[in-house]
Amino acid sequence: MRLVLQRVSSASVTVDDAITGQIGAGLLILAGIEHDDTADDLAWLVSKVTQMRIFADAEGKMNLSVKDSGGDLLVVSQFTLHASTKKGNRPSFIRAARPETAIPLYEQFLALLEAEMGKPVARGIFGADMKVALVNDGPVTICIDSRAKE
């Protein structure tokens, strides 16, 4: 599973002119699920996301996690994170999980995040044509891959 974390002042996702998820300060998480991802990948990522110290403390240093800072989460599914650009100019998405595999893992990821954060997680709609708006704070953008454990 690949994630792109963006520390934001605000973020929202819109589907068919209706906002489906919106947050203030926190993390926008773009989530790409690979065909061989497992519950172990999800658990590792939830721990990493909720404990990563990328929010400023009282001295302005990145010492707080999203959980410590009271921030919110917005998760948007994005299969294009698994694009392979090795051959030609048209990306291949063969490593991205099919919906019948990806949707249950996506839902489980959201449930685990909510349990760890102790509050609801805003979200997009899996497979929909989504419009994502954000104000990147910093900017701080971090990529995480559960296969590489980085």
Side-chain angles (χ1 to χ4, degrees), residues 54-76:
I54 57 174
F55 288 84
D57 63 14
E59 297 175 6
K61 296 187 182 189
M62 289 198 298
N63 278 326
L64 300 177
S65 68
V66 66
K67 194 172 175 181
D68 296 334
S69 69
D72 292 318
L73 301 177
L74 171 58
V75 179
V76 176

Side-chain angles (χ1 to χ4, degrees), residues 19 25 125:
I19 294 174
I125 297 175

Side-chain angles (χ1 to χ4, degrees), residues 9-150:
S9 300
S10 62
S12 65
V13 61
T14 303
V15 177
D16 295 329
D17 296 321
I19 294 174
T20 63
Q22 185 172 353
I23 62 169
L27 291 175
L28 168 63
I29 303 170
L30 304 176
I33 300 169
E34 198 172 350
H35 57 78
D36 57 357
D37 285 336
T38 68
D40 289 340
D41 293 301
L42 301 179
W44 184 81
L45 287 166
V46 166
S47 176
K48 202 59 131 163
V49 166
T50 58
Q51 294 178 37
M52 188 170 293
R53 299 180 338 176
I54 57 174
F55 288 84
D57 63 14
E59 297 175 6
K61 296 187 182 189
M62 289 198 298
N63 278 326
L64 300 177
S65 68
V66 66
K67 194 172 175 181
D68 296 334
S69 69
D72 292 318
L73 301 177
L74 171 58
V75 179
V76 176
S77 62
Q78 189 170 346
F79 76 93
T80 60
L81 292 179
H82 288 289
S84 173
T85 57
K86 264 186 169 176
K87 289 171 46 175
N89 293 318
R90 183 176 177 172
S92 167
F93 303 107
I94 197 158
R95 292 180 51 200
R98 307 259 325 132
E100 56 272 13
T101 301
I103 292 171
L105 287 170
Y106 175 71
E107 294 296 333
Q108 186 179 0
F109 181 59
L110 293 167
L112 290 169
L113 283 171
E114 288 180 337
E116 184 63 32
M117 293 292 289
K119 61 183 175 181
V121 171
R123 62 197 71 191
I125 297 175
F126 189 96
D129 180 20
M130 296 177 273
K131 308 299 180 212
V132 180
L134 69 136
V135 177
N136 196 322
D137 179 18
V140 174
T141 302
I142 297 173
C143 301
I144 303 175
D145 190 319
S146 64
R147 290 280 157 247
K149 296 290 190 243
E150 63 180 22

